[in-house]
Amino acid sequence: MSRRLRSGLSAVLIVLSCLLVPLGVLSAWAAYGLADTGRYVATMAPLADDPDVRDAVADTVGDGIVRRIGHELDAGVLRGTVAPFVHDAARSFTRTEAFRTAWNEGNRAAHDAVLRALRDGRGERGRPVTVDLAPVTAQIKARLTEDRVPLAGRIPVEHTEVDLLPAQQLGRLQKGFHALEVAGFWLPVAAVVFALAGLALAVRRRRALTATALGTALGGALLALAVAVGRSVTLADLPAEVSQPAAGAVYDALTATLRTTSWLLVALGLTAAALTWLTRRRRPLRLVRRRRTPEPPTTPPHNQQPPPRVQV
């Protein structure tokens, strides 16, 4: 194989490797990070202490309870007497250990329901994936009853199902999730294989290693930029009734590992490129110093007399 052909193949493989790095990290994060129920619950657990998330949950649950008992009271009594107690009880409930338990169990149940729907193609067609909020309503009702709030005992504890995945998009999401599971494994493997093959074929391996390191750092920077842009787009597309600070806290918690990995790629790539450049610069300096070192004289000094000649 000619040197030109080797250099061309090496460059193509290195470019492909650098392109697959951010895609591989993103797919692996989605397939193995978000798809693991234990990791998902552990990631969402600290949000139970986030003020924005607690206020959003309290407002949502409180408004739902007020709507259910609204048909039994007139508007004046509802706004002046019952509604403030309900919202205060909901906010007080979000600061208890019971809320943290309900938060974790609710996230676990929702995640399990979504995974079963995405992984089991034999599930019921035409039905959305839902989660029941009745346990949270029951605990708030019990707290209101203990505080002797008027009409607290009349709060209906109904099985309120919140849609997580719409039925009309379930089939398409199942196919996308299966493809994501496959890509989450093979894309990182392909990135590593292409990088090693490109370095092996390179004529100037030091230069190829520097290019690979810089390309990896660039891929990590693009991934971090994509996460930031995705946050802006996600928050901009939310409905008006959804709390943007709470949604931003959830987005930041879910993408924390992705952001850390992206900046780690940037740091590793720049460090490897800098080390390669420094070792390349030190070698010529050593050669120059060796060449400039004076050699020992081969002729005797001027003041030294030549040895006498012996005549035969």
Side-chain angles (χ1 to χ4, degrees):
M1 186 181 297
S2 63
R3 294 171 61 89
R4 181 175 298 180
L5 182 58
R6 286 180 57 187
S7 299
L9 289 177
S10 174
V12 171
L13 291 173
I14 290 175
V15 169
L16 288 176
S17 174
C18 295
L19 291 176
L20 290 179
V21 165
L23 297 177
V25 171
L26 182 61
S27 58
W29 164 78
Y32 299 104
L34 294 182
D36 186 271
T37 302
R39 293 178 184 175
Y40 177 82
V41 174
T43 301
M44 298 294 288
L47 293 180
D49 296 324
D50 187 271
D52 295 325
V53 175
R54 291 189 305 193
D55 291 342
V57 173
D59 292 340
T60 301
V61 176
D63 292 342
I65 295 175
V66 170
R67 282 194 301 268
R68 292 174 192 172
I69 63 176
H71 63 279
E72 299 185 8
L73 301 173
D74 57 34
V77 175
L78 185 65
R79 289 194 302 267
T81 306
V82 179
F85 283 103
V86 171
H87 284 88
D88 289 343
R91 289 188 175 88
S92 178
F93 171 69
T94 59
R95 290 168 173 80
T96 62
E97 189 65 29
F99 169 71
R100 297 183 183 90
T101 302
W103 172 263
N104 293 335
E105 293 303 322
N107 280 295
R108 186 181 301 277
H111 197 268
D112 287 339
V114 171
L115 282 185
R116 283 197 303 268
L118 292 178
R119 286 176 173 170
D120 187 8
R122 298 170 297 179
E124 297 184 16
R125 299 286 181 175
R127 296 190 58 184
V129 180
T130 61
V131 63
D132 191 6
L133 296 181
V136 178
T137 305
Q139 296 191 44
I140 294 178
K141 178 182 177 179
R143 178 172 289 273
L144 291 174
T145 304
E146 292 176 0
D147 295 339
R148 298 181 180 181
V149 176
L151 299 176
R154 297 186 182 181
I155 297 176
V157 182
E158 301 175 352
H159 291 282
T160 305
E161 294 184 344
V162 178
D163 292 348
L164 300 176
L165 291 180
Q168 61 273 16
Q169 298 182 4
L170 190 55
R172 184 177 60 183
L173 291 175
Q174 286 175 346
K175 296 179 181 178
F177 182 75
H178 291 319
L180 189 62
E181 285 187 319
V182 176
F185 175 78
W186 287 109
L187 284 183
V189 172
V192 174
V193 171
F194 286 163
L196 294 178
L199 293 175
L201 288 175
V203 177
R204 299 181 177 180
R205 292 183 179 176
R206 189 181 297 272
R207 180 177 298 179
L209 181 59
T210 304
T212 304
L214 292 177
T216 302
L218 179 60
L222 292 177
L223 182 59
L225 179 62
V227 173
V229 173
R231 187 182 193 277
S232 301
V233 173
T234 301
L235 297 183
D237 292 340
L238 290 176
E241 62 272 12
V242 178
S243 172
Q244 288 202 0
V250 173
Y251 184 92
D252 293 339
L254 292 177
T255 58
T257 303
L258 197 59
R259 293 196 308 273
T260 302
T261 305
S262 63
W263 291 118
L264 183 61
L265 290 175
V266 173
L268 290 178
L270 293 179
T271 302
L275 291 176
T276 305
W277 183 80
L278 289 176
T279 55
R280 183 181 180 182
R281 296 289 298 177
R282 290 185 62 183
R283 186 177 179 183
L285 289 176
R286 290 180 179 179
L287 293 177
V288 170
R289 289 176 181 176
R290 290 179 180 178
R291 292 175 181 175
R292 290 181 178 179
T293 301
E295 297 181 356
T298 57
T299 58
H302 297 287
N303 56 358
Q304 183 177 356
Q305 298 296 330
R309 296 180 179 181
V310 179
Q311 295 181 355
V312 179

